[in-house]
Amino acid sequence: MGTETDFSYLSYIPTYIFKQLIDKWNKTSIELKPNGLLSKENRETTIKHIQKLSTPRLKQLKKVSETLNFSDIWWQVYQISKIKPVSELQKKKKTFKIEKYFQEEGEIKAKGLFSVRELNEYVSFIAVEFSSRSTVYKRLFRFFYLPSVKTILLEPKDFAEEVLKSEILPFITKDPDKFEKKTIRARSIRVLTKKTDEAKTAFNLTHLNIRISLETSGIEGLSQIIIQGDDVIRGAETLEQRHEVSLGFMNSGPWVGAGTKDFALEVGKGLQIHQLENESLKSLVSVLGII
C-alpha cells in the first residue's frame, strides 16, 4: 500500500478527476467538495484514499498530476472556425508516426501517443506525447479545446504549432488552414470589468497590473503599479465613495495584466490557468467568449 507523506502534487488534480480514478480503482463512490483535494473539507478523505493505493496506482496518479501541472504556463489562444462535432476528435488514431517532426536519417525509435479527456461539457484536455527510450525524442504537448467559443489553447514550445496543425486541427475544424492566434491586448483586459445587468463587473479581479508611462501620465519613478485583493475594482470604487480617496493611477496607463482566482491575462504573455475545477472551467469559457 502507498505510504505517501508529501501530498503537494495533489493540488494539480481536480477533485472530479480524482473521484473518477478512485471510484474506478476501488469500485466505490467517494464524496468530495468541488474546491480542491487538499482543502479543509477534502483533505482527510483524500489522504485516507491515497494511503490505500498500491505503488503502481500512486505512480499513475502522479503521472496525471504532472500532466495537469500548469502553474507556470502562459497559454497561447488560437481561434478556429467551422468546428466539427467533438465526436470526430475521439476518432483520431491513438498512435502515429513522428518522423516528419525530426530531420534525421534512418529509423526513429519513437512514436506519438494521442489522448483526449473531456473535463466537462465545455472543455476537453488534449495531450500529445512523443514516447521514446531516448530523451532526444521525448516531448509532451498539451492543449485545451473549448468548442463553444471556437478556441484552442496551446502550450508554447518547439513543434507545438506543427502538432496542432497536423494532429488536432483536422479533427476539430472543417477548415484546418484557417486558424489564428488571438493576441492579448490591453483592451482585452478592460473587457473583464464590463458591468453586467446587476451592475456588477463581469469578473472579480484579484489583481491588476497598470503600466505607468512618464510621457502619458507625468508620473516619475514608477513603471508599473500592481493592486491586489478579493475584488480590486469594487475595492477602488468603495474607497472613493466612502473615504473620498480616488485611485487616479488606475487610469494613468494601460492595464497590462489582470486575473481572478481562476485565470490571469497578461499583455505579451497570454492566458494562465490557476485551477481546473468545474466552476473555474466555466469562468475560463466565459472570459474566452468575450475577450
Side-chain angles (χ1 to χ4, degrees):
M1 295 295 178
T3 57
E4 285 291 308
T5 56
D6 180 10
F7 303 104
S8 58
Y9 68 96
L10 294 171
S11 62
Y12 303 116
I13 304 176
T15 53
Y16 60 91
I17 289 181
F18 181 79
K19 173 177 168 53
Q20 289 171 2
L21 291 172
I22 296 299
D23 287 355
K24 176 182 176 182
W25 292 339
N26 295 343
K27 295 181 173 56
T28 185
S29 180
I30 62 173
E31 295 297 326
L32 293 167
K33 299 291 184 181
N35 54 357
L37 294 176
L38 299 179
S39 65
K40 180 181 178 181
E41 298 88 346
N42 291 334
R43 186 179 179 87
E44 183 178 349
T45 301
T46 298
I47 292 176
K48 180 181 71 173
H49 287 283
I50 286 291
Q51 292 175 333
K52 293 179 181 179
L53 293 179
S54 64
T55 298
R57 294 299 193 200
L58 280 173
K59 287 182 178 179
Q60 190 173 346
L61 194 64
K62 287 187 175 182
K63 176 69 173 179
V64 172
S65 174
E66 290 171 5
T67 303
L68 297 178
N69 180 357
F70 310 126
S71 56
D72 298 321
I73 297 173
W74 286 95
W75 299 85
Q76 303 304 301
V77 183
Y78 282 81
Q79 198 75 42
I80 56 180
S81 61
K82 299 180 180 178
I83 62 171
K84 293 181 178 180
V86 177
S87 58
E88 291 295 311
L89 187 61
Q90 301 290 346
K91 296 177 183 178
K92 158 73 180 172
K93 289 184 178 180
K94 302 308 177 187
T95 61
F96 57 92
K97 294 182 179 180
I98 66 170
E99 283 83 350
K100 61 184 175 181
Y101 298 104
F102 298 93
Q103 301 298 319
E104 295 186 18
E105 297 291 336
E107 182 183 0
I108 294 178
K109 294 184 178 180
K111 61 181 177 180
L113 305 176
F114 182 90
S115 64
V116 182
R117 179 188 288 273
E118 189 173 302
L119 299 181
N120 65 11
E121 59 184 311
Y122 306 107
V123 184
S124 291
F125 173 69
I126 303 171
V128 179
E129 182 178 5
F130 289 1
S131 178
S132 174
R133 292 183 178 179
S134 171
T135 56
V136 174
Y137 305 118
K138 285 185 177 181
R139 303 282 194 285
L140 175 63
F141 306 94
R142 297 177 290 188
F143 308 84
F144 285 102
Y145 177 42
L146 304 91
S148 63
V149 287
K150 298 181 180 179
T151 298
I152 192 161
L153 305 180
L154 174 153
E155 178 185 9
K157 56 173 56 177
D158 291 344
F159 299 130
E161 192 167 307
E162 289 87 341
V163 169
L164 172 63
K165 290 179 182 178
S166 297
E167 312 301 336
I168 299 175
L169 286 180
F171 297 90
I172 65 175
T173 174
K174 299 174 183 177
D175 199 345
D177 294 325
K178 285 189 177 181
F179 75 105
E180 61 180 351
K181 183 177 178 180
K182 181 183 287 188
T183 303
I184 303 300
R185 305 184 188 279
R187 65 172 176 268
S188 304
I189 295 171
R190 284 279 185 179
V191 169
L192 300 181
T193 65
K194 184 178 180 181
K195 298 289 185 179
T196 65
D197 292 339
E198 294 80 21
K200 298 178 181 179
T201 54
F203 298 94
N204 285 351
L205 298 188
T206 56
H207 76 268
L208 183 64
N209 297 12
I210 304 158
R211 181 181 296 151
I212 305 299
S213 168
L214 176 61
E215 290 76 13
T216 58
S217 68
I219 301 175
E220 293 188 60
L222 292 176
S223 59
Q224 183 172 250
I225 293 176
I226 300 175
I227 57 174
Q228 296 177 313
D230 293 334
D231 186 341
V232 297
I233 301 301
R234 181 183 178 188
E237 292 174 346
T238 303
L239 189 63
E240 184 171 6
Q241 291 168 0
R242 295 186 181 178
H243 303 284
E244 298 182 353
V245 176
S246 176
L247 300 184
F249 61 77
M250 291 186 68
N251 295 310
S252 60
W255 294 4
V256 296
T260 72
K261 63 182 180 62
D262 299 315
F263 63 83
L265 295 174
E266 190 162 325
V267 173
K269 287 188 176 181
L271 170 72
Q272 196 170 58
I273 300 171
H274 296 156
Q275 53 187 342
L276 295 177
E277 297 296 343
N278 270 311
E279 288 302 315
S280 302
L281 292 177
K282 289 179 182 178
S283 181
L284 181 64
V285 171
S286 296
V287 70
L288 289 171
I290 64 174
I291 62 172

